[in-house]
Amino acid sequence: SVSTTEVPVKISESYKKSGLQIDNMKTIHSRLIKSMQQNRLFLNPTLSLSVLSKELNIPTHHITQTLNEYAGLSFYDFVNSFRVNEFKKGIHAPENKNFSLLGIAFDCGFNSKSSFNRIFKQKTGLSPSEFQKNTTA
């Protein structure tokens, strides 16, 4: 799950000259999370860094630096965490009972079976079908 709590920030060599301050990163991180939660941008299977940058009017390098240094995530890890959480909520939703696991995954923004299975297992430690069997509505 994506947290909005303080994260210890370690500025790596690659960002030393950036000029992006910790306060700016905190603000950008909050905006990124808010846009994912409210606008549900993660549902777009072709969501890219440039699309997110245009949507929020934040330079791509500021988004990348914020996610890498402030949140400790890559852009795709950040987006996929929202997709996995959405899948976990949707798997037992009554309106999805006639859909396959893959159908639900596609509705959550994943665009391939292999990447969905790999990412889901990476984030949860379970395959999607194991998760479904081990959880109840």
Side-chain angles (χ1 to χ4, degrees), residues 2-134:
V2 177
S3 171
T4 56
T5 58
E6 292 287 331
V7 179
V9 177
K10 179 178 177 279
I11 304 299
S12 71
E13 288 302 316
S14 57
Y15 294 119
K16 282 268 195 262
K17 295 178 184 157
S18 138
L20 188 62
Q21 302 297 313
I22 301 301
D23 288 347
N24 298 99
M25 285 192 248
K26 183 177 182 180
T27 301
I28 290 169
H29 189 246
S30 294
R31 287 184 60 201
L32 291 169
I33 289 173
K34 186 177 177 184
S35 74
M36 290 294 167
Q37 291 172 338
Q38 291 181 349
N39 302 336
R40 302 170 56 80
L41 299 176
F42 61 88
L43 295 177
N44 174 355
T46 60
L47 180 64
S48 66
L49 185 55
S50 61
V51 168
L52 186 59
S53 171
K54 285 180 184 133
E55 178 79 23
L56 297 178
N57 199 23
I58 298 171
T60 57
H61 60 281
H62 285 186
I63 293 172
T64 302
Q65 182 179 353
T66 297
L67 289 175
N68 292 172
E69 307 247 322
Y70 187 82
L73 295 167
S74 72
F75 170 74
Y76 288 103
D77 284 340
F78 176 73
V79 173
N80 286 330
S81 64
F82 285 94
R83 291 174 176 159
V84 167
N85 287 339
E86 186 74 7
F87 177 86
K88 287 162 67 174
K89 286 188 276 184
I91 198 170
H92 295 297
E95 64 271 18
N96 290 335
K97 70 179 170 52
N98 295 323
F99 291 105
S100 68
L101 295 180
L102 190 56
I104 297 168
F106 286 158
D107 284 349
C108 295
F110 288 100
N111 60 11
S112 88
K113 181 179 181 176
S114 60
S115 66
F116 165 63
N117 285 328
R118 184 186 78 255
I119 291 163
F120 192 85
K121 184 145 190 158
Q122 178 188 10
K123 297 256 184 230
T124 66
L126 299 169
S127 72
S129 55
E130 288 169 335
F131 180 84
Q132 184 182 38
K133 287 178 196 149
N134 291 328

